[in-house]
Amino acid sequence: MRRKVFMAKIDFGGIKEDVVTSEEFSLERAQKVLENEIVAVLGYGVQGPGQALNMVDNGVKVIVGQRKGGQSWQRAISDGFVPGETLFPLEEAAEKGTIIQFLVSDAGQMATWPNIRPCLKEGDALYFSHGFSITYTEQTGVNPPEQVDVIMVAPKGSGRTVRSNFLDGSGINSSYAVYQDYTGRAKERTLAIGISIGSGYLFPTTFEKEVYSDLTGERGVLMGCLAGVMEAQYNILRKHGHSPSEAFNETVEELTQSLIRLVAENGMDWMYANCSTTAQRGALDWKPRFKEAVAPVFEELYKSVVSGEETRIVLEANSAPDYRERLGKELDEIRLSEMWRAGTAVRSLRPEMRKKTQTSR
Ligand SMILES: NC(=O)c1ccc[n+]([C@@H]2O[C@H](COP(=O)([O-])OP(=O)(O)OC[C@H]3O[C@@H](n4cnc5c(N)ncnc54)[C@H](OP(=O)(O)O)[C@@H]3O)[C@@H](O)[C@H]2O)c1
């Protein structure tokens, strides 16, 4: 019997939204919903292992689909998946599963889709952790058949923290969406997976909203903007004669080791309230100027996401045969820059790191 899902109405800054936690949708209920399902996790890269291992620990039947020969295949074996029993090539796992989690990279989804589509059976659920392939279907060619559910749970964190937070007894928040409900069970399947992978709380979205916000976030504050503003400040300090150690401490180390932790605990105002009055005054005065300066860049970024231009760039770059080589070079450029080499030195001087070096001497 299908049961109604109760939601918690939470006030987010004056706007009430429905969310689901394990109080509204218990793990026992998730296990019940999934008791006759085989979850096939296709792709054992970053999200694959996090979600697969959490579900295994939560008593869900999980098999892994992964192309043979590479590191990911080996990693699945060392994590306990057994070739021919719980570990298969992609297509074989897709055929065996009833909920097919498409967790190869986004460019990999475009490349493998022609082989995966024929493996889907009537009543299966095709699951994504990103709205990418479906929203930009004209570019990716991912067009699910009508007789399957199409669902999404998108953890708002790296697959690594999906696993490590689960092991610590915490969780990563996830958004969820149903794009196509063929069986009439799409929503309960979605929430059951969301709870089984260890989500903190689940909030509703659409495939389109998820991908627009996600691409903006990672290009913006979470990664692109973060690295960009850090470099800009470091370079100004260096230009004016400050040492690398001083410039790095004032730009990165103080943020990661102290201030951002206060923001995580109790919000921005609380961090401001726990800094010197000199710092507070300056931060309050300069915040609007930075906000104004970057707002047009964010506007441009959002447009580029919505137009599909960001997708075009990603698919072109990540489908290139020398993709990993080129990526390695770009990351090396960051790692070998003075700023991030200074960072390595600063980290090595953290007391806990010095203790480790002393004991290994
Ligand atoms: N990374 C995250 O933490 C994160 C967070 C939220 C959502 N997501 C979403 O989760 C999904 C999976 O992302 P991910 O970051 O976990 O992926 P990833 O680590 O980039 O994916 C690598 C996996 O895809 C396989 N793969 C790539 N290209 C392939 C191809 N042409 N043929 C067959 N297999 C191929 C890889 O196999 P090999 O190892 O053999 O190359 C590996 O199993 C994506 O939709 C992503 O947007 C990711």
Side-chain angles (χ1 to χ4, degrees):
M1 189 188 70
R2 222 167 290 138
R3 279 187 297 161
K4 198 168 160 40
V5 177
F6 292 98
M7 308 258 175
K9 233 187 212 329
I10 304 288
D11 184 334
F12 291 93
I15 294 170
K16 293 220 168 66
E17 291 182 46
D18 291 325
V19 303
V20 178
T21 69
S22 55
E23 281 177 32
E24 289 74 39
F25 200 103
S26 67
L27 178 58
E28 292 69 36
R29 181 166 172 195
Q31 287 165 336
K32 188 94 189 117
V33 169
L34 298 175
E35 70 185 347
N36 296 319
E37 307 267 16
I38 296 174
V39 181
V41 177
L42 307 189
Y44 209 73
V46 182
Q47 275 298 322
Q51 298 194 25
L53 294 172
N54 290 0
M55 285 189 289
V56 168
D57 288 357
N58 274 334
V60 177
K61 275 179 241 103
V62 177
I63 59 173
V64 168
Q66 170 58 46
R67 68 177 164 191
K68 270 190 185 165
Q71 280 178 356
S72 308
W73 176 266
Q74 281 312 322
R75 186 169 167 213
I77 293 175
S78 42
D79 283 350
F81 293 97
V82 180
E85 287 178 28
T86 50
L87 173 60
F88 304 93
L90 284 176
E91 294 80 1
E92 213 178 320
E95 274 165 10
K96 289 183 191 303
T98 57
I99 296 180
I100 320 302
Q101 292 200 339
F102 210 9
L103 296 181
V104 296
S105 67
D106 295 309
Q109 289 177 19
M110 181 174 78
T112 58
W113 177 245
N115 300 332
I116 298 303
R117 195 181 196 275
C119 304
L120 302 175
K121 306 165 296 298
E122 181 174 1
D124 281 355
L126 177 63
Y127 165 106
F128 295 86
S129 280
H130 200 7
F132 191 95
S133 287
I134 292 287
T135 302
Y136 300 109
T137 178
E138 282 184 13
Q139 292 181 71
T140 62
V142 175
N143 55 346
E146 276 172 17
Q147 72 281 17
V148 300
D149 293 343
V150 180
I151 62 179
M152 174 177 73
V153 176
K156 298 293 130 194
S158 163
R160 288 186 190 280
T161 41
V162 166
R163 182 62 180 160
S164 60
N165 280 25
F166 176 84
L167 292 174
D168 291 346
S170 170
I172 291 287
N173 301 330
S174 306
S175 58
Y176 74 90
V178 171
Y179 179 78
Q180 188 168 289
D181 185 3
Y182 175 76
T183 62
R185 295 180 54 231
K187 186 167 176 183
E188 65 176 11
R189 282 169 133 180
T190 310
L191 294 174
I193 296 277
I195 293 297
S196 305
I197 65 168
S199 301
Y201 77 85
L202 289 145
F203 59 96
T205 186
T206 63
F207 275 60
E208 197 177 76
K209 284 222 158 64
E210 193 281 337
V211 74
Y212 290 173
S213 56
D214 195 74
L215 294 187
T216 302
E218 65 205 6
R219 278 153 184 72
V221 169
L222 304 178
M223 293 171 70
C225 170
L226 176 72
V229 294
M230 281 176 167
E231 275 179 36
Q233 174 170 304
Y234 179 90
N235 290 344
I236 287 291
L237 291 172
R238 289 288 291 133
K239 187 174 136 193
H240 292 288
H242 298 267
S243 69
S245 173
E246 186 162 69
F248 193 87
N249 268 286
E250 293 294 356
T251 305
V252 180
E253 194 73 353
E254 183 170 342
L255 178 72
T256 59
Q257 294 302 293
S258 170
L259 302 186
I260 207 70
R261 295 179 182 178
L262 300 183
V263 179
E265 273 170 43
N266 272 313
M268 193 63 81
D269 63 308
W270 198 74
M271 185 267 269
Y272 277 27
N274 284 282
C275 289
S276 73
T277 48
T278 311
Q280 282 161 11
R281 186 66 267 138
L284 287 165
D285 291 344
W286 278 86
K287 183 172 91 60
R289 293 194 58 181
F290 281 111
K291 185 172 149 187
E292 214 174 293
V294 296
V297 185
F298 279 107
E299 198 64 61
E300 200 181 316
L301 164 59
Y302 194 80
K303 270 196 200 132
S304 182
V305 167
V306 172
S307 72
E309 176 59 8
E310 293 303 305
T311 299
R312 189 194 64 72
I313 294 168
V314 167
L315 291 176
E316 191 178 302
N318 295 0
S319 304
D322 61 347
Y323 152 69
R324 280 193 195 279
E325 206 179 298
R326 276 205 245 165
L327 174 70
K329 274 196 196 141
E330 283 178 289
L331 296 184
D332 275 351
E333 220 172 276
I334 298 177
R335 186 172 56 85
L336 298 174
S337 67
E338 181 200 278
M339 174 176 166
W340 289 103
R341 278 188 292 131
T344 308
V346 172
R347 287 193 296 279
S348 74
L349 290 170
R350 288 181 193 156
E352 69 276 18
M353 296 308 287
R354 278 188 283 124
K355 263 187 223 141
K356 263 192 214 158
T357 332
Q358 276 157 6
T359 46
S360 63
R361 260 185 209 149

